[in-house]
Amino acid sequence: LHAAGSLTEDEIRSATLRGERSFVIEALAALGGLKAPVVQKAFNLSTAKGVAAVAWRAVDAVQVDRLCLRHHFGTGVDAAISKEFNGSTVTYQTSPGGLANVQLVSDGKVPMGIATDSDLKTAGEMTDAVLAGSPRLLDALLLKADILTAQRDGPGAVKVYEQVIAVQPRHLLAHYNRVILLTRERPLEPAVAALADMQKLAPKNPRTLYVQALVAVAQGKPADAREPLAQVLNIAPDHLPTLLLAGSTEYQLREYKRAEEYLGKALAQAPSAEYARRLLTASYLRTGQPEKALETFEPMLKTIGENPQLLSLAGEVYLSNNQPGRAADYFQKAVVADPKAPGARTRLGQLHLASGDVDRAIQDLEAASAADERQIQADLVLIANYLRQREYDKALAAAQNLAKKQPDNPL
């Protein structure tokens, strides 16, 4: 996009609101003439100086007339920028006074305004006041849609994007964002209709092709996403969101080698892309490559926190690498984080069985069986254990419980 001159403020703003952190980092790096790891480090430090410096370079590079970073900078941003850029003139006001910067940007008096999430309500009220007098003002409508998206009001944002389209029917970004938001809602018919509108407007545009694939995946038709994704990658082979969606699509189709190719490319250009790293790790586990899975996953260990899915994945990685002790530690942490996590409890039960702690194993397996009717692995392990111990009455009871959970299952 940058090479083609298409990496605009709207692209970055939309990616920010969609939570595409890795794309935003790469975009700011490209615009500011920086290396991506430098930008990544600035964001990881969460300091005013680092993030403001990166943003300032990006603003200067493209000479945009506004840039809003939704980031909790804290105080001292004025001093930080002044120190980093001698001769610069900076004003900084805390919330809600910081929203005065929005008006300054709108009036074209300054090139950049900063506002935090806590300002969103007030910003919305100010935007509403502007729209009350000028209901067809595109910039105000787009800002309103951004605010609603940031507030997780997808349906409200969709209505505003439809107002934008009514004012300017060929506003491709409004069409694009509308489709993306609609794919998160059910039923999907409105998303399909919005996609059809966009295809009439610009059928070959990469944005249209991307959301075409997104809708196909949302409909549970990942195979239909392949062709439009290939067309986007033919135009922009390093487009991170498309690489991620392509990797996810191939993973769903169990084409793990192709998934690993796309996800590997995504990680190469955005090492902090957690979703890509997690999915690539899972793919390596499924294809019997435990060493690669461990190598891919280990950078996430420092930031794994209390996420039960990531803790369970860590357990699987270490179990596949013949480290049952470490695996048990992570499975236990996953259960603490989410007592109803059936996969982690099942694995703990299996590990306890292997170590000879039958009582704890049965306790974990029964808890896993009761936690989720869709999961049957714990039931199968229980049945196999009882049969092995020749406790046939218990095996029959476990089998009957399984039949109640999934009466149509041929097992």
Side-chain angles (χ1 to χ4, degrees):
L1 289 175
H2 183 48
S6 302
L7 186 56
T8 64
E9 173 200 355
D10 283 341
E11 289 281 0
I12 298 174
R13 177 177 57 185
S14 297
T16 301
L17 293 171
R18 292 194 303 271
E20 296 175 1
R21 176 185 172 92
S22 299
F23 175 80
V24 173
I25 289 172
E26 294 290 329
L28 289 175
L31 292 176
L34 300 168
K35 293 183 178 180
V38 174
V39 180
Q40 175 68 55
K41 183 177 180 180
F43 274 73
N44 286 344
L45 291 173
S46 296
T47 61
K49 177 179 178 180
V51 179
V54 169
W56 202 264
R57 288 194 63 163
V59 172
D60 182 63
V62 296
Q63 296 182 348
V64 297
D65 56 9
R66 66 178 186 276
L67 175 64
C68 179
L69 298 180
R70 299 193 308 107
H71 187 283
H72 289 280
F73 280 88
T75 58
V77 69
D78 50 347
I81 295 180
S82 295
K83 182 178 179 181
E84 189 74 13
F85 300 94
N86 293 330
S88 61
T89 301
V90 181
T91 61
Y92 178 79
Q93 294 171 299
T94 56
S95 178
L99 283 172
N101 294 331
V102 176
Q103 189 63 47
L104 292 172
V105 173
S106 178
D107 293 341
K109 296 178 180 178
V110 295
M112 180 175 74
I114 297 172
T116 68
D117 289 349
S118 59
D119 295 326
L120 287 174
K121 181 179 179 182
T122 307
E125 293 171 352
M126 292 175 63
T127 306
D128 287 339
V130 172
L131 288 171
S134 304
R136 294 171 62 84
L137 185 62
L138 280 180
D139 281 348
L141 287 170
L142 290 170
L143 178 57
K144 179 67 174 179
D146 286 348
I147 292 169
L148 291 171
T149 302
Q151 292 175 325
R152 302 182 186 277
D153 183 1
V158 167
K159 290 181 180 179
V160 178
Y161 281 125
E162 289 171 348
Q163 289 178 264
V164 172
I165 293 168
V167 174
Q168 188 172 317
R170 299 187 65 81
H171 199 292
L172 194 61
L173 182 62
H175 282 276
Y176 175 77
N177 286 333
R178 179 175 65 147
V179 177
I180 288 177
L181 289 169
L182 286 171
T183 60
R184 302 172 187 172
E185 306 293 333
R186 295 297 181 272
L188 284 169
E189 282 78 4
V192 175
L195 172 61
D197 291 340
M198 194 172 178
Q199 288 173 321
K200 293 175 185 176
L201 177 64
K204 301 296 184 181
N205 187 282
R207 282 177 172 156
T208 305
L209 295 169
Y210 176 80
V211 292
Q212 179 183 340
L214 196 64
V215 169
V217 171
Q219 290 176 310
K221 302 175 181 179
D224 292 347
R226 275 178 161 169
E227 179 58 28
L229 288 172
Q231 292 183 54
V232 176
L233 291 173
N234 186 50
I235 299 169
D238 296 324
H239 186 233
L240 184 60
T242 304
L243 287 171
L244 292 173
L245 185 57
S248 174
T249 297
E250 296 301 334
Y251 185 87
Q252 291 181 53
L253 293 169
R254 299 186 179 183
E255 294 288 347
Y256 299 119
K257 186 175 180 179
R258 295 182 67 175
E260 289 161 13
E261 179 182 350
Y262 289 127
L263 295 169
K265 288 181 179 178
L267 272 184
Q269 62 168 292
S272 61
E274 179 183 296
Y275 177 75
R277 190 172 295 278
R278 183 175 65 203
L279 202 58
L280 183 57
T281 299
S283 183
Y284 284 144
L285 289 176
R286 287 183 175 272
T287 54
Q289 303 179 76
E291 295 85 0
K292 283 189 175 182
L294 180 59
E295 180 184 356
T296 301
F297 189 78
E298 277 190 321
M300 295 182 65
L301 291 176
K302 293 181 180 179
T303 58
I304 198 170
E306 297 181 358
N307 185 310
Q309 288 79 26
L310 292 180
L311 289 167
S312 294
L313 183 57
E316 296 289 352
V317 169
Y318 282 110
L319 187 60
S320 69
N321 279 275
N322 297 315
Q323 299 184 45
R326 294 198 69 178
D329 288 341
Y330 280 106
F331 286 131
Q332 183 61 50
K333 290 178 181 178
V335 169
V336 171
D338 180 8
K340 294 185 178 181
R345 277 202 178 275
T346 300
R347 284 302 198 196
L348 273 179
Q350 291 174 307
L351 288 169
H352 288 145
L353 276 178
S355 67
D357 193 345
V358 178
D359 291 340
R360 287 186 67 187
I362 298 301
Q363 185 179 26
D364 283 325
L365 291 169
E366 288 179 343
S369 174
D372 191 343
E373 292 186 354
R374 297 167 298 178
Q375 301 292 331
I376 64 172
Q377 185 62 32
D379 301 270
L380 296 176
V381 176
L382 275 171
I383 294 169
N385 174 69
Y386 287 137
L387 289 174
R388 190 165 48 250
Q389 300 297 324
R390 298 186 178 184
E391 298 183 64
Y392 300 119
D393 290 342
K394 291 183 178 179
L396 180 59
Q400 290 173 336
N401 182 61
L402 174 59
K404 289 179 181 178
K405 288 173 62 175
Q406 296 190 5
D408 297 327
N409 192 315
L411 285 174

